[in-house]
Each structure stands twice: as structure tokens, then as C-alpha cells.
Amino acid sequence: MKIYNTLSGKKEEFEPIEPGKVKIYVCGPTVYNLIHIGNARPMVVFDTVRRYFIYKGYDVTYVSNFTDIDDKIIKRAIEEGIPADEVAVKYIKECEKDMEGLGIGNDMLHPLATQVIPEMIEMIQTLIDKGYAYESGGTVYYRVRKFKFYGKLSKKNIDDLEAGHRDIKVAGEEHKEDPLDFVLWKPKKEGEPAWDSPWSQGRPGWHIECSVMAKKYLGDEIDIHAGGEDLIFPHHENEIAQSEAANGTAFAKYWMHNGFLRIVNKEGEFEKMSKSLGNFLTVRDISEQYSLEVLRFFMLGAHYRNPINFSDDLMEAAKNGLERIKTCGLNLSEMIEKAHDKGETGAGKELLDEAAKYTAAFEEAMDDDFNTADAVAAVFDYVKFINTNVTEELSSDVLRDLYDRLKSLTEVLGLELSSGGEELLDDEIEALIKERNEARAEKNFARADEIRDMLLEKGIVLEDKRDGVRWKRR
Ligand code: AMP
Ligand code: ZN
């Protein structure tokens, strides 16, 4: 199994630190807004990596944080007139809803930065004690030049970085020994949330939280550290500097980075989707039009290291492709119900032998740095094979075997094969809409939203019109 390691710039054979176990840390979102579909890409991609390790029989521990204290959260809190922690709690809940829709597994740990303040203070103190950090005016900085390997991940030369920094004087950072140094702890400004520390009442810098959470939940050395490619510098470079200096060991063995999700701009060029450019679509926006499984499937159609360009056409193609796979699963399960129970026939045996080739192709693609684009192609080939070869003559054992194979592959991709019978009837939908209207009349908006979300999950979209509520199946 090969993984492209940003650290070495090469595909390497995967060898876990501890046989049979994989420890993965993925940088999660800052929770001050609904996540956009670019933020969803690392979630989907690395959840698929996690699923494939499980499929291969590994015991996986997967940690992905929520950054719940940060300038943007504080700004948002001021705008909304609520405390910063309320902003964070609100958007964590929203993010969790999106993750559920995207099929992100729930057997992961999602620690919060504010839950590890004592551990962050401890690591910062260790860095000070070892001479890798210093306090000045209540702020603690990391002494970048002291860490000999700074730049090893991003392949940046420290002197070039210094030259780039020389003219930039950032307000409030005049106490730095060196413009390259970065913040580990900073004093609070008036009205900001703050914690006691040996240096000032204040809060941690962004980079330290990931070093600390990885250590706390996974240990000093981890197998895989991942995130979007914009995090390579400075975030991941700084994490390495902090963790390796504090722990005295190598930090992550493999560094994986996903490419950007891009969207077309007015000039007709594709550019990175980001909050700051204002060119984003939230996962919630998409869920009004599509099942989020379609979004997931769209993302898996590209190799994770390549950019992926969002478009309505590609989403439609993903929707149709997904439907083809699901219909195949549904047909097979219906045939299993009706099939006879006699043992395998000769023809069935041959079919099963041939079916195994598609699993081999799927695994070959995934073993090659998680090439989901080729893995999806293998699933399509398998679906075509089933559609052309399956007949009602086959025994239920053979049919079940074919079905289970499809299911095991789609499970790695995080897609569900429905067994049918889950659709809501029109009457049931009408009854739920009535209940929602009543809830709204009683100002029970939580219940009203709950019903709307539940219907959305089942593919029913509500439209509030002046003359009442209309619904349609997605
Ligand atoms: P942020 O909340 O901006 O720190 O982003 C959370 C995660 O989403 C990080 O791993 C980012 O690298 C990733 N990310 C942000 N924008 C994009 C994008 N347009 N395409 C792919 N990944 C992204
Ligand atoms: Zn991080």
C-alpha cells in the first residue's frame, strides 16, 4: 500500500509504527460559520482513507479537531451579540449535521481546542524550558531558528523566509526576537475570552492546539497527519517544530494533503473556494438540491491530491452515477428475495470467480495512494458486469455473494446501498408537514427544524411559499 508523503515528496510503502494499527490526525475546521464544500473535501477524503484501512483489517484511531477559539470566532460573536463559546457550540452542531449527511464515520474523536488548555500550557512551558520558546510582554513566541529542521515539510529555506519577512512589521509583534517567530500564547484584548497562564491571561495560538491534541489522543508519534494543502505552510511546519522539539521524537511518519476544491470565477477561471474570496457554497446549500451522498461521490471522482472543479454538470453526473450503483444494489437485493435456494450452479461459480477481479482492481487503485477515481471506475465496471450477467436462474447464494462484494466496495467509499422500502409515503410526508406547521405556530422552531431536516435526509425538500408549504422529492 503506497502513500504519497509530502515530507519526502514521494510515494512510499505504508508501514505502521505499531503493526496492525494506524493513528491518524486530520486538522478540522474553525467553527464560526457553516462549512463550505471545500472544507468538506478533507473530511470526505480522509474518512475514505480511514475506511480503507479498516477494510484492510487495521485498527484505526482517527482524531480530527474543531478549532473553537480563534479571532474569527470572536469577531462572529461580536457580530451576533453572543459569547464566543456559543458561536462555537452552534457551528459544531451544524458541522456535525453536515458530516452525518456526508457519511463521515461516527467512530472518530473530535476534541476541542478549549478542552486542552492545560495541556497546551504544559507543552508551551516545555518549549520554554528547552529554549525553543520565549515570553515577551505576556506573549510567548516559538524561536524558529532554534529548530534545525524548520522548513523540512514545505521545503522552504529559512533564509528566504527571513528575507520575505524583513520589511514586514506587524503591529503588536515588535517584541519578537526574529520576524520568523510565531505565537504560542497571546494576552487577551478587552472583552475577549481568556484563560490563566504563567505568562498572561490570554489564549493559545492556532498551531499549538493540533500538536497537543495529537499527543493527547494519539501519542508522541503518529502514523498519518493530514489536511488541505494550504496547511502545509505555516500550520503543519509549525506543528512539526513544536511537537518534535517538545517531545524529542519524530512527529508524523506520513503527511498527506488534499488538493483544493475550485469553482469558476467571473473571468471563467477556476479558483480555490474560500470564505475570504466569497466564492463559496455551503454544504447546507448543496443539501437543498442534492443528497449529500452525491457530494461525497462527486469528490471521490477525483484523486485527492488533484484539484477538483465544482460544477452543476459534474454534480448531475455524480448523481446519475450514484443512482446507477444504487439501482444495481437494489435489483440484486430484490432478486435475492425471489431467488431459489439451491446450491451454487457451475455458471454461478464462474461468475463469482470473475467478480473477484473487480475487487482486485478496486484494491489496486486504493493501494496506489488512495486513487478513488480509479476505484470508482472499478465499481462502475463491476456494476456493468452484474447488469449484463445476472439472471434469475442464479441461486440466492450466488446473488448474495455478488451483492456483498458490491456492498463491501461501496462501504469503503462511504456510500450506502439501500435495501429499498425506506421511502416515505405521500401521506406520511403530509402528516409530518402538518406537524411542522403546528410546531411553528407554537414557536417550537427546534421541532420544526428537526422535521425539516428529517425529511431532507429522506430526500424530501420543503419550500415555504406564501400560500403554504410545498414539497418535492429530490
Ligand atoms: P479552515 O476552517 O479554513 O481551517 O479549513 C478546514 C480544512 O478545510 C483545512 O484542512 C483546509 O485545508 C481545508 N480547505 C479549506 N478550503 C479548501 C478548499 N477550497 N479545497 C479543499 N480543502 C479546503
Ligand atoms: Zn492543525
Side-chain angles (χ1 to χ4, degrees), residues 21-25 50 58-63 107-109 217-218 223-224:
K21 293 193 174 164
V22 193
K23 293 184 274 183
I24 307 177
Y25 186 93
R50 182 190 70 90
Y58 284 93
D59 176 3
V60 183
T61 319
Y62 188 107
V63 178
D107 44 354
M108 305 176 168
L109 291 170
Y217 296 100
L218 298 169
D223 294 288
I224 296 174

Side-chain angles (χ1 to χ4, degrees), residues 27-30 36 38-39 41-42 227-228 230-231 258-261 272-273:
C27 294
T30 306
H36 63 65
N39 299 135
R41 190 173 190 199
D230 52 337
L231 299 187
N258 65 271
F260 292 137
L261 182 140
K272 179 194 174 193
M273 179 172 286

Side-chain angles (χ1 to χ4, degrees), residues 25 27 210 235 239:
Y25 186 93
C27 294
C210 290
H235 185 53
E239 277 192 49

